C-alpha cells in the first residue's frame, strides 16, 4: 500500500503535498506506533478479539482472556473485521471477480526482462505463461511483485503465499534467469467493493478497511484510512473530554462515508481500465482516456481525486474556502518563518490571522491556537480557522466578519462555548 505526499509536491494542484511517494505500509506503521507509544498508548499484539459487548455507557472487549472496558471502541481491524462480524453488521457491496498476490521480495539474479527502474504501471505490466504481473524495483535487490492468473480466484484468501508460487510466476513472466532470493512479506487481495452503511453503531465506530474495501488501484487505501483516523481522532478526543459540541462525533460518519463511496466508485472505473487482458472495447476506452489525461484540467481533476487533496467537507457559512484545505503556505511569524503544516503538531485547532483582523486580547477556548502571521501568497481570506485535521471550517475577509461570526463558528465546529 502507498500514501500520497511529497516534500516538493505537484504543481498540478498548486501544493507541495500533492506528489506521490511510495511507502511500504509496515514502515508507515512503525512511525505511527512510535508516535502512539510516545503519547502513552499501550499496544497489545497477538491477542485475537473474541467478544464485543456494547451498552449504553461503553464497550467491553474480550481478547484471549484480556477484558478491556472503554467508553468507545474504534474498530480498525481491516477488511475481514472481527468486530464487524461479532456485531453482525452487514457489509453490502460487490464480491470480487479475481484474486492476486502482492509480495515484497528480494531477487538474487535477474533476467533482461526485469525492469531496472520505476515507471508508470503501463510500462511495468507483463504477461506470460497464463500470468499477468508487475515487478517494481525498489532499490538494491528489493522489488514489489504483483501477479495473478485466471485460476487464482479459487485460492482461499487466508492461504499462505509460498515461495514456490512466487517463483512459478517469476519464471513464467520474467524467465528462469530471474531467481527469488527472499520474501519479506506477502498477501492475497481481491477486487471486492464493500462499505458499511453506518460508521458509528452506538459506542462502536469503524475506520479504514473495517468500514470499506475496494480494489487497491492507485494505492488509495492507506490515504483513505489515515484520513478516517484524522477525522475521527480529534472528534473522539473532544467527546471524551466533554468539550464536543452537539453532533460532532456523528459528523464523522456524515463526512467520511461519502468520501469512501466516491473512492469505491472511481476504483471500480479503474478496475475496468486496468484489466490485464482488455477486450477490444476496453482498449479503445483506454486510448480515449489517455488522451483526456493529457488535458491539464482533466489531469488536475483526477490528481485531486486520487490524492484526496481536492476533498471538501460540507461547511455552512458560505465562504469559498470553508470545508477544504489550503496549500502548505510559507508563513512569517513573530518567532520566525514556518509552514502551515507545522502549526498542527500540537493536535489543536488553529486560528490563523493573516490580515490583523482578529481582535487583540481575544479569549479562545482551550486547544485553539491563535497564530498571527504574514504570507506573500494570495490566500483568499484575512483569517482562517482550521480544524485539527487541517480542514478550514471558517474564514473571514475582514475584521467585521471576524467579530460577527467567529464565536458561532467555534461553537458549531470545534468546542462547547460557555
Amino acid at each position: 500500500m502507498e500514501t500520497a505526499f511529497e516534500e516538493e509536491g505537484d504543481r498540478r494542484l498548486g501544493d507541495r503535498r500533492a506528489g506521490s511517494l511510495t511507502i511500504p505500509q509496515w514502515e508507515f506503521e512503525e512511525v505511527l506506533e512510535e508516535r502512539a507509544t510516545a503519547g502513552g498508548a499501550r499496544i497489545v499484539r497477538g491477542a485475537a478479539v473474541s467478544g464485543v459487548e456494547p451498552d449504553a455507557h461503553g464497550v467491553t472487549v474480550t481478547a484471549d482472556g484480556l477484558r478491556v472496558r472503554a467508553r468507545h471502541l474504534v474498530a480498525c481491524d481491516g477488511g475481514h473485521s472481527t468486530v464487524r462480524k461479532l456485531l453482525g453488521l452487514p457489509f453490502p457491496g460487490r464480491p470480487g471477480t479475481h484474486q492476486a498476490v502482492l509480495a515484497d521480495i528480494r531477487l538474487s539474479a535477474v533476467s533482461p526482462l526485469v525492469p531496472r527502474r520505476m515507471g508508470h504501471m503501463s510500462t511495468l505490466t507483463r504477461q506470460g505463461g497464463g500470468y499477468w504481473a508487475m515487478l517494481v524495483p525498489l532499490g538494491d535487490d528489493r522489488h514489489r511483485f504483483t501477479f495473478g492468473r485466471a485460476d487464482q480466484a479459487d485460492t482461499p484468501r487466508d492461504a499462505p503465499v509460498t515461495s514456490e508460487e512466487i517463483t512459478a510466476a517469476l519464471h513464467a513472466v520474467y524467465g528462469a534467469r530471474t531467481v527469488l532470493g527472499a520474501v519479506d512479506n506477502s498477501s492475497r487481495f481481491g477486487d471486492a467493493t464493500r462499505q458499511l452503511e453506518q460508521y458509528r453503531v452506538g459506542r462502536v465506530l469503524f475506520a479504514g478497511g473495517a468500514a470499506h474495501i475496494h480494489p487497491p488501484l492507485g494505492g488509495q487505501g492507506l490515504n483513505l484510512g489515515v484520513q478516517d483516523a484524522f477525522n475521527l481522532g480529534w472528534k473522539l478526543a473532544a467527546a471524551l473530554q466533554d468539550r464536543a459540541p452537539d453532533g460532532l462525533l456523528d459528523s464523522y460518519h456524515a463526512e467520511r462515508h461519502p468520501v469512501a463511496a466516491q473512492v469505491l466508485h472511481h476504483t471500480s472505473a479503474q478496475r475496468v481500465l486496468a484489466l490485464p487482458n482488455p477486450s477490444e472495447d476496453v482498449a479503445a476506452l483506454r486510448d480515449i482516456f489517455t488522451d483526456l489525461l493529457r488535458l491539464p484540467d482533466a489531469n488536475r481533476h483526477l490528481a485531486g481525486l486520487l490524492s484526496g487533496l481536492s476533498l471538501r467537507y460540507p461547511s455552512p457559512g458560505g465562504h469559498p474556502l470553508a470545508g477544504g484545505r489550503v496549500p502548505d503556505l510559507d508563513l512569517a511569524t513573530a518567532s520566525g518563518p514556518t509552514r502551515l503544516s507545522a502549526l498542527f503538531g500540537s493536535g489543536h485547532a488553529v486560528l490563523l490571522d493573516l490580515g490583523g483582523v482578529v481582535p487583540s486580547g481575544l479569549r479562545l477556548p482551550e486547544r485553539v491556537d491563535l497564530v498571527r502571521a504574514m504570507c506573500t501568497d494570495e490566500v483568499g481570506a484575512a483569517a482562517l480557522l482550521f480544524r485539527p485535521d487541517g480542514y478550514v471550517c471558517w474564514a473571514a475577509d475582514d475584521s467585521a466578519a471576524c467579530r460577527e461570526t467567529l464565536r458561532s463558528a467555534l461553537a458549531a465546529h470545534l468546542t462547547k462555548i460557555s
Side-chain angles (χ1 to χ4, degrees):
M1 300 176 73
E2 302 167 355
T3 189
F5 62 88
E6 188 174 292
E7 185 69 16
E8 294 305 321
D10 192 330
R11 293 182 181 178
R12 288 175 296 181
L13 295 175
D15 194 336
R16 57 165 56 98
R17 295 171 300 203
S20 64
L21 179 64
T22 301
I23 300 178
Q25 183 170 333
W26 70 88
E27 292 183 9
F28 194 75
E29 289 176 350
E30 287 175 356
V31 174
L32 294 178
E33 180 176 352
E34 181 179 349
R35 176 71 173 177
T37 53
R42 177 191 177 196
I43 297 176
V44 179
R45 299 189 183 278
V49 173
S50 57
V52 177
E53 304 167 51
D55 55 51
H57 305 288
V59 185
T60 302
V61 177
T62 304
D64 287 351
L66 177 70
R67 286 178 64 84
V68 178
R69 175 75 177 173
R71 287 172 60 184
H72 293 85
L73 168 66
V74 181
C76 307
D77 52 342
H80 299 285
S81 172
T82 299
V83 175
R84 190 183 64 228
K85 293 174 182 176
L86 287 172
L87 294 179
L89 299 178
F91 201 32
R94 183 170 57 187
T97 60
H98 69 270
Q99 190 183 97
V101 170
L102 175 65
D104 288 295
I105 63 175
R106 298 176 185 269
L107 298 178
S108 57
V110 297
S111 76
L113 298 175
V114 173
R116 299 303 195 266
R117 60 180 181 274
M118 284 191 180
H120 189 271
M121 64 177 295
S122 62
T123 67
L124 298 174
T125 303
R126 294 182 59 86
Q127 298 185 49
Y131 290 88
W132 61 267
M134 183 168 63
L135 191 60
V136 180
L138 301 177
D140 299 324
D141 60 348
R142 297 183 303 120
H143 293 74
R144 171 157 289 185
F145 187 35
T146 308
F147 67 91
R149 56 181 300 161
D151 60 357
Q152 208 157 9
D154 296 328
T155 306
R157 282 287 301 273
D158 56 354
V161 180
T162 66
S163 296
E164 291 76 14
E165 186 177 357
I166 295 173
T167 295
L170 283 171
H171 287 178
V173 181
Y174 299 98
R177 292 168 57 185
T178 302
V179 180
L180 178 65
V183 179
D184 290 336
N185 61 78
S186 59
S187 61
R188 301 184 192 277
F189 67 90
D191 62 341
T193 298
R194 299 184 183 277
Q195 185 179 25
L196 272 178
E197 295 174 343
Q198 293 291 326
Y199 285 9
R200 181 183 182 186
V201 181
R203 295 271 177 170
V204 182
L205 300 108
F206 293 83
H212 44 72
I213 60 172
H214 59 87
L217 295 160
Q220 298 170 83
L222 183 54
N223 273 353
L224 187 61
V226 168
Q227 282 284 330
D228 285 349
F230 267 110
N231 189 289
L232 176 58
W234 69 272
K235 296 174 180 178
L236 187 57
L240 292 174
Q241 295 167 13
D242 195 32
R243 51 182 175 81
D246 292 342
L248 183 64
L249 197 54
D250 286 328
S251 73
Y252 166 64
H253 167 84
E255 290 185 344
R256 294 304 299 169
H257 191 277
V259 174
Q262 183 183 54
V263 172
L264 267 60
H265 184 66
H266 63 68
T267 53
S268 294
Q270 287 177 269
R271 176 168 62 175
V272 175
L273 293 171
L275 287 172
N277 296 295
S279 66
E280 183 178 345
D281 291 343
V282 171
L285 179 62
R286 279 184 185 176
D287 290 340
I288 294 174
F289 199 77
T290 301
D291 287 340
L292 289 174
L293 286 176
R294 295 189 177 100
L295 301 175
D297 286 346
N299 196 290
R300 186 179 301 109
H301 173 71
L302 290 174
L305 282 178
L306 293 176
S307 67
L309 290 175
S310 64
L311 169 64
R312 298 186 66 88
Y313 292 127
S315 185
H319 197 282
L321 294 181
R325 301 174 74 110
V326 298
D328 191 10
L329 304 169
D330 291 307
L331 303 173
T333 70
S335 57
T338 188
R339 279 163 51 169
L340 178 63
S341 58
L343 303 181
F344 301 102
S346 65
H348 295 181
V350 174
L351 175 59
L352 179 62
D353 183 6
L354 296 174
V357 299
V358 176
S360 59
L362 175 69
R363 294 183 59 186
L364 289 173
E366 183 183 1
R367 300 181 69 85
V368 180
D369 299 334
L370 172 61
V371 178
R372 300 185 190 272
M374 296 180 62
C375 179
T376 57
D377 295 320
E378 176 57 43
V379 179
L384 304 101
L385 181 62
F386 293 90
R387 308 182 333 179
D389 57 1
Y391 286 88
V392 179
C393 59
W394 169 90
D397 297 325
D398 51 43
S399 56
C402 187
R403 288 192 302 270
E404 293 169 2
T405 61
L406 176 57
R407 183 177 177 84
S408 60
L410 288 165
H413 297 286
L414 294 173
T415 186
K416 292 180 179 177
I417 301 291
S418 57

